[in-house]
Amino acid sequence: MEKIILIKYGELTTKKGNRHVFINLLKNNVKKILKDYDVTIIKERSRMYISSKKEDIDEIVLKLQKVFGIQSIVISYKVNNNIDEIKNKVLEILKEESAKFKTFKVITKRADKNFEVKSMDFNNIIGGLVLKNTHLKVDVHNPDIKINIEIRPEGTFIYLNEIAGAGGYPVGIQGKGLLMLSGGIDSPVAGYLALKRGIDLECIYFDSPPHTKVMAKNKVIELANIINEYSGNIKVHVIPFTKLQEEIYKNVDNSYIITIMRRMMYRIAEKVAKKRGCKVIINGESIGQVASQTLDSMVAINHVTNMPVIRPVACMDKIEIIDLARKINTYETSILPYEDCCTLFIPKHPVINPVLEKCINMEKNFDYESLIEECINDMETITNLKTDFKLDNIDDLL
Ligand code: ATP
Ligand code: MG
């Protein structure tokens, strides 16, 4: 008797025209995430089947729960389309699995119209069998377990409850975006949400040694490692930002330091994005969270680029962002104390409603364009990110 993992697709089933593109990409992504396992993957219009060694199944399910584009995962048993075989298998499964449950419901789907019993009648047959042979009682509205029986041309699949998948679209279906990744709480969450909608990521981090310590950079790499579990393709571009930042500090009004610094970040991000084939910039700005994230600030800052800027957490409360950060396992790393460049250069009274003309005038005080070129020429790219990162020891970051 074969135990097989069955994947049900997420939202992609609604995209009729390019459905095969979605499914092929999803299959590739699944293949990539399971590269260390001995598996056979078969894709179909409405689902994918994965056969593997029995002892790998639990680990594989955990991996699959991080693949976007999957709505649910079920561990099913495959038998022939034969009434007695199905009955025996149902009882065998329940013998192993039913102890902790009280109620059940049978859900038969008969896709193979050659099968001689109709779905409703088959529900009754199996229902009667379960009532007679186990302690379980029927509850059609809110059962503890659903006994799913899918009778398809290629065989009958029997499974109990479904395991939730990650939802979303297969990563890469939208192409790439450049994520401005800082060591904070918001930007890794923004990255996760972008990946969920099918945007693959490269990351850009503005590093300001010696004002920021190497730990701050390592923290960013660690965060990239964690979100890379949803992609496998992520790279981090580290921009040496110190010189440009010091020039800003010398040449612009104190209250405008952050505004101008962020205009420079956007300018650099746009250039790197174009160079790397990224279509959009993504960041962790959240409306009103700090002075540089008021709508007036966004107007003055965003003015330097025509590239779309996606802000996945723009309309979320901090507490909602934190909840998500905990869920995706980035929170504990994000709250490690190493300061990033923004925290160190923060003025006492940052402007909350910057005036665009003032920004433009202040930027005339120094040759920022050549400094930007220098930043990009000296960029360091980190490509060997891990996809199963576990932080066992905080010292690993140092
Ligand atoms: P986060 O918690 O993500 O760091 P934040 O609340 O600290 O965000 P800001 O420091 O104002 O907010 O930054 C807003 C966004 O700008 C960040 O979410 C990130 O996308 C980007 N950003 C800020 N600093 C850097 C940096 N040093 N390198 C790359 N991106 C940055
Ligand atoms: Mg920050």
Side-chain angles (χ1 to χ4, degrees), residues 102-106 127 130-131 136-139 143-145 147:
K102 290 200 176 81
T103 57
F104 78 101
K105 173 183 180 176
V106 183
V130 174
L131 281 173
L136 296 168
K137 301 267 174 293
V138 176
D139 181 345
D144 295 337
I145 37 173
I147 303 171

Side-chain angles (χ1 to χ4, degrees), residues 7-36:
I7 287 173
K8 297 190 178 177
Y9 305 146
E11 260 179 76
L12 62 86
T13 43
T14 58
K15 299 269 187 268
K16 288 202 184 69
N18 51 4
R19 188 184 177 120
H20 65 283
V21 180
F22 278 72
I23 297 173
N24 287 342
L25 182 61
L26 183 61
K27 185 178 175 189
N28 276 345
N29 290 353
V30 166
K31 221 163 137 179
K32 202 165 56 189
I33 209 139
L34 300 181
K35 66 179 178 344
D36 297 332

